[in-house]
Amino acid sequence: MEAFQVISGGVDMQIEFVWKHIREALVVPMVRLAVFLCLCMLLMDFVEKLYMAIVISFVKLCGRKPEKCYKWETIKEDVELGNSNYPMVLVQIPMYNEKEVYKLSIGATCSLSWPSDRIIIQILDDSTDSTIMELVQMECRIWESKGVNIKYEVRDNRDGYKAGALKEGMKHSYAMQCDYVVIFDADFQPEPDFLYQTIPFLVNNPEIGLVQARWTFVNAEECMMTRMQQMSLNYHFKVEQEVGSSTYAFFGFNGTAGVWRISALNEAGGWKDRTTVEDMDLSVRASLKGCKFLFLSSVKVKSELPSTLKAYRYQQHRWSCGPANLFRKMVMEIFTNKKVSLWTKLHVVYSFFFVRKIVIHINTFVFYCIVLPATVMVPEIVVPKWSCVYIPCIMTLLKAVGTPRSFHLLIFWVLFENTMSLHRTKSTIIGLLETSRVNEWIVTEKLGEALLKDKTGGTKVLKKYRFSIVDRIEMTELLVGFYLLYCGCYDVMYGKSYFFIFLYMQAITFFILAFGYIGTFVPKS
């Protein structure tokens, strides 16, 4: 009878009939399954955040400082041995067309307090601009004339990018005489006492293979985008790294501002360029050899955050794609390893890789930007309030503890992170499937002194981007923004809650990033 009425009712009724059955048979079950999977991933993330909050609280309340957990004695000059009591230290600075920051990094590194005959500064210059190469080489000569043992090294190719440069640098005869190697990216500026605070832990504790220092940021106050980055990275260092160091003595090496025991580095197989996260690759391999890592939150090294959206996207692609690809390559190697406990294997595979490097990125975008808005148009599915209000709020507060003075930016931070999760999700999938952009490596643009001062030495007034809308539009963000806007309008018309407020705010954030209207612009002239 119903079919007869539909046939006789015209095209509109036929379309409505077909859509009703497709909706009941396909759309509703698919959305319900998506919600279930997202809730499972949300709970994984929540348990992880809660666990780390408990551990870090215990560490802070009990005062578990590294000096109390490990042997630590200041290295002093011996009357009989003289400076030979100090271990030989190699400091590597990989560079690639670092015009704006090369002076800052070389100057800070050459000012490190350590006996001059027991330290070697190695500049690994992969620059393709001959003018910049000459400037870097000239800077090295200036410091060499001051008595600094500095070596300027170049190679005829960029194979392996940063990993290739570091590996090539270790092949020199003078490098083989060193006991420890310190790595600083070109925008990092260590304090003079950096070696005196880190090396003693390695000297007095042979089981420690890596000492990692904490990053601080010279341009955190530059714009809203750098403030958001500071909040995310502060949580990474103050909580994730601290918890990994305090419990499993394992965390991912950050690629810079760290000191490696060269014997541990070699035993792990040295630098490899099979992924774009050569630092994480090395740290996982070293941990599988039974090597312990130590994070020193009290030792801070100044660095620079990406201040342009383009640079930040490239950085986030590498940081999201690389770990996912490394997980694909190493998961079986980790499980079949016989030198570490099953508990450590589970921590590395499940907590470190699966939850933090895959689940978080994918679920943040899929749940908050796709599935949850879709439920507005599928009233048959009711998403529990704890999953879209209570747990997200608790997790946000737990992550914001690293930067308490930025609490007033929480809403903007959440919206920004949700929007950036689109790129992180794409990059994670690229890494897991190992598609075309999996090994893409674009050096993060740094502004250095140009960021801080103008020609007269005063503070530069940072300017917003000037661009052609047509040239800079990002279609993916734009489409997601329109999708969220449509869901928000649907909720206004047919919904019974105030969910449209979030949808509108998130849509606006996607539009802002779609048109590139975020970050700063420093004129080149």
Side-chain angles (χ1 to χ4, degrees), residues 200-213:
F201 284 103
L202 291 159
V203 171
N204 295 295
N205 302 276
E207 72 276 14
I208 296 178
L210 165 69
V211 173
Q212 172 73 58

Side-chain angles (χ1 to χ4, degrees), residues 283-302:
S283 56
V284 173
R285 284 185 281 113
S287 71
L288 295 180
K289 295 290 183 179
C291 186
K292 289 186 177 181
F293 303 157
L294 175 63
F295 175 70
L296 298 178
S297 61
S298 59
V299 181
K300 303 171 185 177
V301 182
K302 292 183 287 187

Side-chain angles (χ1 to χ4, degrees), residues 55-180:
V55 173
I56 198 65
S57 299
F58 174 79
V59 169
K60 297 301 181 183
L61 291 173
C62 296
R64 286 175 55 87
K65 296 183 178 180
E67 292 83 358
K68 294 182 179 180
C69 301
Y70 295 95
K71 296 179 182 177
W72 192 89
E73 292 180 8
T74 304
I75 300 175
K76 299 178 180 179
E77 184 177 338
D78 191 277
V79 178
E80 297 180 358
L81 300 176
N83 286 342
S84 59
N85 190 44
Y86 288 82
M88 281 293 295
V89 178
L90 174 68
V91 181
Q92 293 183 311
I93 307 179
M95 290 190 172
Y96 177 73
N97 296 334
E98 308 286 1
K99 182 180 179 180
E100 301 294 348
V101 295
Y102 75 92
K103 277 190 178 183
L104 295 174
S105 60
I106 293 176
T109 306
C110 290
S111 300
L112 288 170
S113 299
W114 201 254
S116 58
D117 60 333
R118 307 300 291 173
I119 183 173
I120 303 171
I121 311 295
Q122 188 184 62
I123 308 301
L124 304 170
D125 195 0
D126 274 359
S127 298
T128 54
D129 189 319
S130 58
T131 303
I132 296 176
M133 293 177 72
E134 290 176 8
L135 291 172
V136 175
Q137 196 167 7
M138 187 183 301
E139 186 71 12
C140 291
R141 290 199 193 102
I142 292 173
W143 283 101
E144 188 177 17
S145 66
K146 296 179 181 179
V148 176
N149 189 0
I150 186 169
K151 308 288 184 181
Y152 178 76
E153 305 291 353
V154 296
R155 52 188 184 138
D156 56 5
N157 60 69
R158 286 196 70 216
D159 293 346
Y161 302 109
K162 180 181 174 181
L166 294 172
K167 185 176 182 179
E168 194 69 24
M170 295 300 296
K171 293 180 180 179
H172 295 280
S173 57
Y174 60 82
M176 296 179 182
Q177 301 170 9
C178 297
D179 304 297
Y180 306 104

